[in-house]
Every structure is written in C-alpha cells, then in structure tokens.
Amino acid sequence: MADSKATNTEEQAKDVLLSGERLDHLLTRDLQIIQSPEVFSFSLDAVLLARFAGVPPKGRILDLCTGNGVIPLLLSTRTEARIEAVEIQPRLADMARRSVALNGLSDKITIHEDDLRSWVPQHSGTEGIFDAVTVNPPYLPMHSGEHKGNPHLAMARHELGCTLEDVVAACSKAVRAGGRVSMVHRPTRLADIIVGMRRYRLEPKRIRFVHPKPAAEANMVLIEGTKYGKPEVRMLPPLIVYEDSGSYTQELLDVFYGRKAELTDTKLQSDEEGRA
C-alpha cells in the first residue's frame, strides 16, 4: 500500500515540478517536498525547529519565513491544528503551495505570499489569534557577507526582507496571550533574540543548543517564549547531531525517520505549561 501511494505521488509530481526542481522525501508519513538548489532547499535547522516547537493538539499555528513550506508539512504530523504560513518570495510560496497540494494537505495548511511586516491574518483583533508561532528567519544581518548573487538564497540567508526585530514583532503580534513562539537561529544572536523577545512581551522559557559533535561549539540554538509568560527560562540538554564516529546520533535518527515526533521531554513541557 505504501509503495502504491509513493508511486502515485511521484506520478502526480511530474505535472507540478518546474525546471530545476526535484521531489525529496521527508522520511516521515510518506511526505514529499518540492525543492530546487537554484532557489531554496531546507536544512537541518528547519527539521529541528518543527520537532522542538511546542504546538497544541488543535487550534491555529502560524509559520513565518516558511520558505518552501517544510516546517508546516512536518508540523502536520504532530497536530490536528490548522496551519498558516507566510513567505515573501513568490517562487518559494508557489513551491510551498504545490508541495502542500501534492501531499493532500490543502485543507489543513494555507500558504500566504506576503510580507510578515505588514501581513494581517483574517478575523484578527488587537490580540493575536494563533496558539503557536514558529519561525526560521534569515540569520545574517544585511551588512554581513556578500549577497549580490542568487537573490532567492540571499534573501533566505540575509536580513534583506526583514530584520530580527521585525520577526520578533510579527511573532508577538500574531500569537495569543499564553501562546508560544519558537525560533531557530545562530547562538551568536542569542542575546539579541532574548532582548527582542522581552521587548515584545515574549518571555523566553526554553533554550536548547545544537552542537555538530559532542566537543564542538554550538552552531544553532532553539528558543521558545510564551506571550506574557512569567520570567523563568530552562536550559535543556544539548542536542548533538553527530557522534565522534561521524554517524548521526540516535536522537537525530529518530527525528529524521519520524520515530520521535518531538525533541522535548513531555514532563518538562507539562511543568512549563503550569508555570506559564
């Protein structure tokens, strides 16, 4: 049955793939995603954020800077909530929509082509309407490095379309009181993230550093805050990507193959909810 489903999906993909695009497997729930090295391909940070983020079993979730929609696709395996996503680049938003349709998830995931700095969700009032918000924003400040080459990759990597403050402000505006905002970023920006979150009434609650190997310096940080939460942040155990031998750690393998739906300890998460 699984082989038949995969074959049917691959046949459908022939009609939706554009020049330079390919179809990749997400290794969980038979999900597939349209990618293009010329435009955008997701990386480990997006997968880890989708498994780290605290999400409700039902309700509404928003993903900002969605790229080709990998985070909404992965989140759909963890919750029955409605998921909306915002992407400023037309080509990426189009890829995300086609991937959502290809996986039969158009009734659960909606992709908006818009600017997170001005986008306003339907039926929103003065307070946010989303129970959870996720975001994998551009990591590099606009003035850092060279970004005159591929415009798609430049915007995904550098703060050309939005700054870190723009991102945090949009997250705070979108999430309801008591809701969660989860982000993946570079550890070098952690101080800026924490200051920004508190400025926009998002109290940092959970932080987990990601290390390529046990003795290596962290190269990613996962952080989650609660809207109007009480001050108390917990440092989770470090997440190690590779063993010293070069093979993936068991936790990463469990995430990749869908054997583990989330990275966090469920008891710790329950304790946090009681303290929010």
Side-chain angles (χ1 to χ4, degrees):
M1 181 68 71
D3 290 341
S4 176
K5 180 179 179 181
T7 300
N8 290 337
T9 305
E10 289 171 2
E11 289 177 352
Q12 295 171 14
K14 296 177 183 178
D15 299 325
V16 298
L17 291 178
L18 302 180
S19 176
E21 294 180 347
R22 68 174 189 262
L23 192 66
D24 288 342
H25 292 262
L26 290 177
L27 303 180
T28 179
R29 302 278 184 94
D30 296 320
L31 290 175
Q32 300 186 74
I33 188 167
I34 297 169
Q35 305 215 91
S36 170
E38 301 171 0
V39 181
F40 183 86
S41 295
F42 75 87
S43 53
L44 177 62
D45 49 4
V47 178
L48 296 182
L49 177 61
R51 297 313 186 199
F52 169 82
V55 296
K58 295 181 180 180
R60 299 183 70 174
I61 298 172
L62 175 66
D63 182 52
L64 296 174
C65 304
T66 200
N68 64 349
V70 62
I71 291 175
L73 289 175
L74 290 172
L75 288 178
S76 73
T77 68
R78 296 183 53 200
T79 177
E80 295 303 317
R82 287 277 310 167
I83 303 171
E84 296 184 53
V86 177
E87 170 54 46
I88 193 172
Q89 296 195 59
R91 177 75 188 274
L92 287 178
D94 178 62
M95 290 170 66
R97 286 195 195 97
R98 285 182 284 130
S99 288
V100 168
L102 186 65
N103 287 284
L105 292 170
S106 296
D107 60 338
K108 186 173 183 178
I109 301 173
T110 302
I111 307 295
H112 303 278
E113 180 191 321
D114 216 318
D115 187 329
L116 62 79
R117 295 170 295 184
S118 57
W119 179 71
V120 178
Q122 291 184 344
H123 312 300
S124 63
T126 56
E127 191 66 70
I129 60 173
F130 292 96
D131 301 288
V133 179
T134 57
V135 62
N136 180 7
Y139 291 159
L140 303 175
M142 184 171 61
H143 61 268
S144 65
E146 176 63 48
H147 46 75
K148 294 181 180 179
N150 187 312
H152 301 289
L153 299 180
M155 184 165 281
R157 294 169 179 168
H158 295 79
E159 295 178 342
L160 302 178
C162 60
T163 64
L164 178 57
E165 183 167 1
D166 292 332
V167 168
V168 176
C171 289
S172 179
K173 183 179 178 180
V175 74
R176 66 168 177 78
R180 300 180 180 197
V181 171
S182 303
M183 178 189 299
V184 61
H185 216 294
R186 294 276 180 87
T188 53
R189 304 294 301 277
L190 181 58
D192 296 331
I193 294 168
I194 291 174
V195 169
M197 291 180 82
R198 282 192 155 175
R199 181 182 299 135
Y200 289 95
R201 307 176 304 282
L202 299 171
E203 186 62 33
K205 303 294 282 186
R206 296 191 298 135
I207 297 175
R208 190 170 190 186
F209 289 100
V210 181
H211 301 254
K213 286 192 174 183
E217 182 179 350
N219 61 356
M220 280 185 273
V221 63
L222 297 157
I223 181 169
E224 184 173 271
T226 300
K227 182 77 167 283
Y228 303 130
K230 297 178 182 178
E232 182 181 41
V233 61
R234 296 192 177 189
M235 304 297 295
L236 303 182
L239 175 61
I240 310 301
V241 178
Y242 295 104
E243 304 283 5
D244 286 328
S245 63
S247 59
Y248 282 116
T249 59
Q250 188 60 51
E251 185 169 17
L252 263 291
L253 289 173
D254 288 343
V255 167
F256 287 153
Y257 288 96
R259 294 190 293 264
K260 190 174 183 180
E262 54 189 298
L263 288 170
T264 56
D265 179 79
T266 53
K267 181 179 184 302
L268 177 60
Q269 188 165 315
S270 298
D271 290 345
E272 282 180 353
E273 290 172 349
R275 295 168 181 264

